[in-house]
Amino acid sequence: MILVTGGAGFIGANFVLDWLAVTNEPVVNVDKLTYAGNLENLASLQGDTRHVFVQADIGDSTVLAALLQQHQPRAVLNFAAESHVDRSIHGPEDFIQTNVVGTFRLLEAVRAYWSGLPADAKSAFRFLHVSTDEVYGTLGATDPAFTESHNYEPNSPYSASKAASDHLVRAWHHTYGLPVLTTNCSNNYGPLHFPEKLIPLMIVNALAGKPLPIYGDGQQIRDWLYVRDHCSAIRRVLEAGRLGDTYNVGGWNEQANIDIVKTVCALLDELRPRADGKSYAEQIRFVQDRPGHDRRYAIDARKLERELGWKPAETFDTGIRKTVQWYLDHPEWVAHVQSGSYRDWVLQQYSAQEPA
């Protein structure tokens, strides 16, 4: 059995679904169910005895200790995080509480559990921490991509909180011997992505006839990773990663934000044309850039390929087509997440901005 935190969110839910699709090993899924945690993501697992869902906060040490003792997992995978840069700018405290304090309490609960395991189980146990490339800061146009030895230079409250959590995980390995693994991924996209992030926001706004807001000049570059490729990478690191090591996970898909949006518009033009026959690209609006906006991220994932034999299965062309089609095929999921408490904030921030 494994225990997953944050397993009702975007990446966590995709991981749980993929895990149970390729193995019969049960999952205890712990999620606080904040606005981005959505049980609809796990609807296909209703009645599946391999999936045990527990609504709880990783900051609750008592609950964590009880769950670990009750279920005796062989591994803990930490997906739980506040992850939206814009929200971290507007309200950084939640990010400190979840990403820093929550990770600390989770590490302490796991350390206490691991310390009491029999020798064989203790040796086989793993704690895998899922992190982001944003901890490395920003790159110039011609800089080489981030490697695992790149300096940490976080530029937003979100990335600073994730950097802090990475350092805690490293310290718990070197100080206490906790058998940890860390992955730092590039920008994920795919099914179940909450529509505050670029790609799902563009799809949802386009279909609703709303503006498609692009920060600044739209030339910010990201390396895009299809979420199910990310899930396969995590499974591989859990299986064979070297203890205490870090693995960068990327899609080898560097693209500017404006090009991403134009690609989404072109796919929607093909798959769900506007009634007036015009392109969705006419809805694009350039808006004032956000503070401290990193210009470029790029992941060098060669270590993961060289040491563990992993590489992404999807190109951006195949992954983005699957993503757009998924949103077109699941309007009920979109309607559900848009009806939550976060709806007003999303509408205020992204639906009615004027061009910069």
Side-chain angles (χ1 to χ4, degrees):
M1 174 174 284
I2 64 170
L3 187 148
V4 169
T5 69
F10 167 47
I11 300 175
N14 272 284
F15 179 83
V16 169
L17 293 169
D18 279 11
W19 179 270
L20 293 176
V22 300
T23 177
N24 282 322
E25 185 173 11
V27 177
V28 178
N29 184 350
V30 180
D31 197 293
K32 186 179 178 180
L33 293 182
T34 61
Y35 74 91
N38 181 7
L39 285 178
E40 288 294 313
N41 295 344
L42 305 165
S44 63
L45 298 179
Q46 287 185 0
D48 190 330
T49 58
R50 299 173 302 164
H51 179 244
V52 178
F53 180 79
V54 179
Q55 184 174 354
D57 187 342
I58 62 169
D60 190 332
S61 302
T62 302
V63 169
L64 289 174
L67 287 172
L68 290 165
Q69 288 301 323
Q70 177 184 355
H71 296 285
Q72 298 284 303
R74 69 172 181 90
V76 172
L77 292 87
N78 182 32
F79 294 87
E82 293 278 357
S83 66
H84 191 209
V85 175
D86 286 10
R87 270 180 41 84
S88 80
I89 294 169
H90 287 273
E93 185 170 354
D94 286 346
F95 290 72
I96 303 303
Q97 288 299 321
T98 297
N99 299 351
V100 183
V101 178
T103 300
F104 159 70
R105 290 182 177 159
L106 177 62
L107 283 166
E108 281 291 84
V110 169
R111 181 167 71 94
Y113 163 72
W114 167 76
S115 296
L117 290 174
D120 289 348
K122 188 174 183 180
S123 176
F125 183 82
R126 297 292 183 269
F127 178 93
L128 192 151
H129 177 64
V130 179
S131 192
T132 172
D133 60 356
E134 296 192 40
V135 299
Y136 298 126
T138 188
L139 292 168
T142 61
D143 290 340
F146 298 130
T147 67
E148 290 81 356
S149 60
H150 197 94
N151 290 337
Y152 272 36
E153 298 176 348
N155 291 321
S156 70
Y158 161 60
S159 58
S161 68
K162 287 299 290 183
S165 71
D166 292 6
H167 291 319
L168 289 173
V169 171
R170 174 186 169 87
W172 260 240
H173 174 68
H174 286 275
T175 301
Y176 303 112
L178 189 68
V180 307
L181 301 156
T182 298
T183 57
N184 293 85
C185 69
S186 58
N187 277 41
N188 281 222
Y189 69 100
L192 307 176
H193 206 178
F194 192 83
E196 65 183 358
K197 304 294 180 74
L198 179 68
I199 289 174
L201 178 68
M202 295 302 108
I203 297 169
V204 170
N205 271 16
L207 294 173
K210 297 176 181 178
L212 308 181
I214 309 297
Y215 280 135
D217 60 5
Q219 294 302 316
Q220 301 86 359
I221 293 173
R222 302 293 183 261
D223 175 9
W224 293 92
L225 173 66
Y226 190 63
V227 66
R228 287 174 179 163
D229 279 334
H230 186 196
C231 294
S232 72
I234 292 170
R235 291 198 304 272
R236 182 59 183 147
V237 172
L238 179 65
E239 177 184 40
R242 289 185 298 176
L243 293 185
D245 223 342
T246 296
Y247 295 89
N248 283 352
V249 188
W252 300 107
N253 287 309
E254 284 190 63
Q255 301 224 23
N257 285 349
I258 185 62
D259 295 329
I260 295 293
V261 177
K262 288 179 178 178
T263 297
V264 168
C265 289
L267 283 168
L268 289 172
D269 289 342
E270 172 193 342
L271 299 171
R272 185 69 59 81
R274 277 176 38 163
D276 61 7
K278 296 180 180 179
S279 174
Y280 287 98
E282 292 197 355
Q283 296 166 225
I284 292 174
R285 301 290 185 272
F286 291 94
V287 301
Q288 182 176 351
D289 210 350
R290 71 183 178 206
H293 200 171
D294 290 335
R295 195 64 175 172
R296 173 177 169 244
Y297 305 143
I299 280 285
D300 183 335
R302 286 179 295 179
K303 175 182 175 180
L304 185 53
E305 182 174 359
R306 181 177 64 251
E307 295 189 7
L308 301 183
W310 178 90
K311 57 183 178 180
E314 300 289 346
T315 66
F316 186 74
D317 287 343
T318 60
I320 193 63
R321 179 173 287 273
K322 289 180 178 180
T323 300
V324 171
Q325 189 64 61
W326 187 89
Y327 280 87
L328 292 174
D329 292 343
H330 294 85
E332 73 291 344
W333 183 90
V334 174
H336 175 82
V337 298
Q338 286 189 309
S339 67
S341 61
Y342 196 52
R343 177 190 59 186
D344 292 342
W345 194 89
V346 171
L347 291 174
Q348 178 185 354
Q349 293 298 317
Y350 300 120
S351 297
Q353 297 196 54
E354 294 298 325

